[in-house]
Amino acid sequence: MNRLMRGFARRFPRRALPLAAAVVLGAVPAAGCGRSGDDPAGRTVLTVGLFGSFGYEEAGLYDAYMRLHQDVVITQTSIQRNENYYPQLLTHLVSDSGLADVQAVEAINIAEVTATQADRLVDLGRAPGVRRADFLPWKWAQATTRDGRTVGLGTDIGPQAVCYRKDLFARAGLPTGRDAVGRLWAGDWRAYLETGRRYRDRAPAGTSFTDSASGVLSAVTGSSARRFYDEDGTVVYKTSPAVREAWDIAAAFATEGLTARLQQFTPAWDQAFANGTFATVSCPAWMLGYIEDKAGPAGEDLWDVAAAPRPANWGGSFLVVPKSGKRRAQAVRLAAWLTAPAQQATLFRRRGSFPSASAAHALPAVAGARHPYFGDAPTGRIYTRAARGVPVTVLGPKDLVIAQNLADIGMLQVDQKGRRPEDGWDAAVRTIDNALDL
């Protein structure tokens, strides 16, 4: 499972890549987290602790850095899933032990890390070579404390579009060109719902407009600046107009028969891509490779990419540097280099990770990117526009708990079991409030 899929597991997973075990680069013994030092040749060993696959090794970035700094050797350790990685990271931060020189943090966890662990992390906003103006404002804000310390540098993001099946749209009497499709629902998720109703009325047999109500819920919720918490850190999801709007729209998809009643990132969902049983899905940039993999060669040029009703983000990560590291200055330089615009553009070109550094969006590798599987769609332009429109979202430490239970406890029951929307809501609220001890 790829990193953009792993961190948000199931509801918010990232791209699928193989299990990442300890990877050692350079002629040094295997090293775990917190084992930086010098190798037998006297070179500085820097450790990088990740979850899933960030692609740094595969894209040649570690090798490039070591060519630039021949007194440095980089080692990497990775745990496949963020739900296993993140608790260990918190434990190690609290104990100031067992940490790598550079650690990754999933976007869904950055609010908690920024709120509770900032004193244990280096302020990377002041690091040499790091320019706030190079990053998207909303990404920079996610890792910045109230007193202005930026404890994480953005790696990638997951700006969202809508992937759709051109052949199914044509058979349903809907436009198929990506610009015309985007205009069907531009600016309004309720217009997306209305398009689903039009599709249903002339739907090809055995197909649905979209994959799941939970997917719709997540996409709509993700396009709002204020959803689960307010600016004071108070949990407000039960009274949030944005959450209520998202719930009502997603519930309409479920109760009006517009979904394939699937749960994302399950074998049935994967198979549905191959079988062509739904016509649209909210798709961050990282999902393009996933769709191509699951739909296979038979799906080539049947799928295309249109702008989402409203800009939203799904996924992404940060790099942080623990203060307790013995090679702190070198670690800061490495984190700054890996997240610099040029390296983010390289990672996008070679691995598909969309840059959080806005300065990378104008580089040819991003600006000129097209995807042949999706009808040669100008994905660089589509996702850059989406990324620039993402609101600065108020994040809270338990966003994942709230989002996952709204989707997988509440909305899933409405979609798959036919429960009334108010019953699904009550079930989700009970679970969330118990988990948050409210």
Side-chain angles (χ1 to χ4, degrees):
M1 177 169 287
N2 155 323
R3 188 176 49 82
L4 270 166
M5 302 179 67
R6 69 205 178 257
F8 285 116
R10 287 210 3 251
R11 176 85 276 108
F12 307 99
R14 303 176 71 109
R15 294 164 301 224
L17 283 178
L19 170 67
V23 176
V24 183
L25 305 137
V28 296
C33 294
R35 296 181 62 185
S36 60
D38 294 337
D39 74 348
R43 297 173 298 180
T44 298
V45 178
L46 295 177
T47 56
V48 179
L50 307 174
F51 52 96
S53 174
F54 277 61
Y56 291 141
E57 180 198 5
E58 296 86 347
L61 292 183
Y62 290 148
D63 285 341
Y65 190 83
M66 289 188 288
R67 284 195 296 273
L68 293 171
H69 304 273
Q70 296 189 8
D71 58 340
V72 170
V73 173
I74 300 170
T75 74
Q76 172 185 294
T77 61
S78 183
I79 294 174
Q80 185 183 23
R81 299 186 69 87
N82 186 52
E83 59 262 43
N84 299 322
Y85 166 89
Y86 182 60
Q88 291 185 28
L89 174 62
L90 285 181
T91 299
H92 292 159
L93 281 169
V94 170
S95 64
D96 274 342
S97 65
L99 291 160
D101 295 299
V102 178
Q103 295 272 179
V105 178
E106 169 64 41
I108 201 70
N109 303 123
I110 194 63
E112 183 171 28
V113 167
T114 301
T116 66
Q117 305 298 322
D119 290 345
R120 296 183 171 90
L121 300 172
V122 174
D123 180 1
L124 296 174
R126 300 175 183 275
V130 172
R131 287 172 16 101
R132 176 176 181 166
D134 285 344
F135 290 84
L136 291 160
W138 57 268
K139 184 73 173 183
W140 185 270
Q142 288 179 340
T144 300
T145 64
R146 292 189 177 190
D147 62 5
R149 290 173 289 164
T150 300
V151 298
L153 294 177
T155 57
D156 55 342
I157 55 176
Q160 291 205 63
V162 173
C163 292
Y164 67 99
R165 284 277 300 249
K166 289 178 289 192
D167 57 327
L168 299 182
F169 266 47
R171 292 165 63 189
L174 295 172
T176 59
R178 63 183 70 94
D179 291 337
V181 169
R183 285 194 294 271
L184 288 172
W185 48 62
D188 188 356
W189 282 103
R190 292 191 180 278
Y192 180 64
L193 172 62
E194 185 57 37
T195 304
R197 290 168 176 149
R198 290 175 59 189
Y199 180 90
R200 178 196 56 197
D201 292 343
R202 296 181 60 181
T207 71
S208 301
F209 180 63
T210 193
D211 62 322
S212 66
S214 295
V216 173
L217 176 67
S218 298
V220 181
T221 305
S223 62
S224 299
R226 190 169 179 266
R227 45 189 182 179
F228 305 141
Y229 286 80
D230 68 11
E231 290 77 1
D232 296 325
T234 303
V235 177
V236 297
Y237 79 95
K238 284 183 281 191
T239 58
S240 166
V243 173
R244 174 49 65 181
E245 179 192 35
W247 181 270
D248 290 344
I249 292 173
F253 271 89
T255 58
E256 296 183 27
L258 306 182
T259 81
R261 304 184 186 284
L262 295 164
Q263 184 173 16
Q264 294 185 333
F265 304 102
T266 62
W269 191 66
D270 291 348
Q271 188 61 45
F273 281 109
N275 295 340
T277 55
F278 57 82
T280 70
V281 62
S282 294
C283 61
W286 50 263
M287 195 184 286
L288 299 181
Y290 191 89
I291 294 173
E292 181 177 356
D293 179 56
K294 300 305 177 186
E300 186 168 3
D301 206 31
L302 296 181
W303 284 94
D304 211 315
V305 188
R310 294 206 307 262
N313 183 69
W314 179 0
S317 294
F318 296 82
L319 295 182
V320 302
V321 175
K323 286 183 178 177
S324 60
K326 294 181 180 178
R327 310 286 181 176
R328 196 164 64 190
Q330 294 97 322
V332 168
R333 283 197 291 272
L334 175 60
W337 188 86
L338 287 173
T339 56
Q343 279 64 255
Q344 291 205 31
T346 297
L347 205 58
F348 173 71
R349 178 167 55 86
R350 298 185 178 175
R351 305 293 297 173
S353 300
F354 200 82
S356 66
S358 52
H361 297 167
L363 299 178
V366 181
R370 307 183 77 93
H371 204 304
Y373 187 89
F374 292 82
D376 208 30
T379 48
R381 176 171 58 82
I382 292 171
Y383 285 109
T384 292
R385 186 174 299 168
R388 290 175 179 172
V390 173
V392 179
T393 304
V394 179
L395 299 180
K398 301 302 179 185
D399 276 353
L400 178 60
V401 173
I402 298 171
Q404 199 156 38
N405 283 293
L406 284 173
D408 288 348
I409 297 296
M411 190 53 65
L412 190 65
Q413 293 183 7
V414 179
D415 201 20
Q416 290 193 341
K417 298 181 179 179
R419 296 191 67 182
R420 297 186 309 159
E422 52 268 38
D423 293 336
W425 174 263
D426 290 343
V429 167
R430 283 194 299 272
T431 306
I432 294 167
D433 287 357
N434 285 337
L436 271 55
D437 198 24
L438 296 176

